[in-house]
Amino acid sequence: MRVIIITGSVGTGKTALARKLSKKLKFKHIDVNQVVTEYNLAESYDKKRRCKVVDTKELNKALKDKIKWAKKDLEKGIVIDSHLSHHLPKRLVDLCIVTKCDLKVLEQRLKKRHYSKTKIRENMDCEIFDVCLNEAKEAKHTILVVDTTKGINIGSISKQIGDLKKWN
Ligand SMILES: Nc1ncnc2c1ncn2[C@@H]1O[C@H](COP(=O)(O)OP(=O)(O)O)[C@@H](O)[C@H]1O
Ligand SMILES: [Mg+2]
């Protein structure tokens, strides 16, 4: 069974890509928000940022469990989308996709989500400094960078993945 993780700054198109890619490859899409609820992983709530605080170690444990179950269910593969997914150890991951987006477009997308100015700033900084990409590199993942600024061409992306075809 193949495991693809999709990481990247908030708003760069992880979920949009995960939906399309899992459909195209007939892989199961793992919604990390759902995993956080199911495994009761939210330790607290950050009021200022309006988001749940999740411990990456605990999330990793839950995701490992999800991978185990998907194997048992004889899934062809899974697509995990989360800005924390790259913290999974390389040995469990076949491919790490990092979504990126033009900064002006990203700002528009975040504004549309009605995030506070601080939250927009923080997420923009995350993209400017390539936090997810750098952490994914540090974790030694096999990386494919996908820019979603002009939309997601799933045909071209799966072509880029190339070897994935051999997995099917
Ligand atoms: N390729 C795209 N073209 C236009 N809008 C997009 C594209 N990808 C995502 N979006 C929009 O940008 C926002 C963030 O996308 P989403 O996939 O939810 O990002 P993430 O999961 O990384 O936070 C959503 O409103 C989505 O509709
Ligand atoms: Mg998302």
Side-chain angles (χ1 to χ4, degrees):
M1 191 195 68
R2 299 293 169 176
V3 177
I4 299 178
I5 57 176
I6 304 183
T7 187
S9 316
V10 173
T12 52
K14 295 182 294 295
T15 303
L17 176 61
R19 287 200 181 119
K20 288 189 177 173
L21 194 61
S22 54
K23 203 171 161 198
K24 170 101 181 166
L25 300 173
K26 300 196 171 65
F27 282 14
K28 189 182 165 77
H29 178 195
I30 305 271
D31 180 341
V32 171
N33 284 329
Q34 214 173 304
V35 175
V36 168
T37 312
E38 193 183 325
Y39 289 76
N40 208 6
L41 299 177
E43 293 182 325
S44 58
Y45 187 77
D46 186 332
K47 270 194 189 157
K48 196 176 136 213
R49 294 182 176 82
R50 292 198 206 156
C51 63
K52 291 171 181 169
V53 181
V54 174
D55 180 71
T56 43
K57 273 191 193 149
E58 292 302 313
L59 178 63
N60 271 358
K61 269 192 218 164
L63 290 176
K64 280 178 197 168
D65 195 48
K66 282 278 173 201
I67 293 171
K68 201 177 78 188
W69 277 105
K71 271 185 195 160
K72 279 190 182 155
D73 289 343
L74 302 177
E75 295 284 352
K76 220 166 137 188
I78 56 173
V79 177
I80 301 171
D81 99 81
S82 161
H83 63 285
L84 299 174
S85 62
H86 59 269
H87 293 294
L88 273 171
K90 180 188 156 60
R91 66 186 163 80
L92 296 177
V93 177
D94 294 290
L95 178 71
C96 172
I97 298 179
V98 182
T99 49
K100 288 199 56 68
C101 175
D102 172 85
L103 291 172
K104 283 218 175 85
V105 174
L106 181 61
E107 193 175 15
Q108 291 310 314
R109 287 186 191 173
L110 295 173
K111 275 185 182 159
K112 254 195 197 164
R113 286 188 175 181
H114 304 293
Y115 285 169
S116 69
K117 271 194 182 147
T118 325
K119 191 161 170 172
I120 291 178
R121 187 70 254 156
E122 281 178 353
N123 285 310
M124 295 288 289
D125 283 348
C126 178
E127 184 62 5
I128 290 165
F129 295 111
D130 274 330
V131 174
C132 292
L133 179 59
N134 288 327
E135 287 180 358
K137 282 181 184 165
E138 273 167 36
K140 303 267 191 292
H141 287 301
T142 303
I143 296 170
L144 174 71
V145 176
V146 170
D147 192 313
T148 71
T149 310
K150 290 181 179 150
I152 295 166
N153 182 337
I154 202 65
S156 133
I157 291 164
S158 47
K159 222 182 234 171
Q160 282 182 67
I161 294 172
D163 280 347
L164 275 184
K165 288 240 167 77
K166 290 177 206 154
W167 300 354
N168 292 335

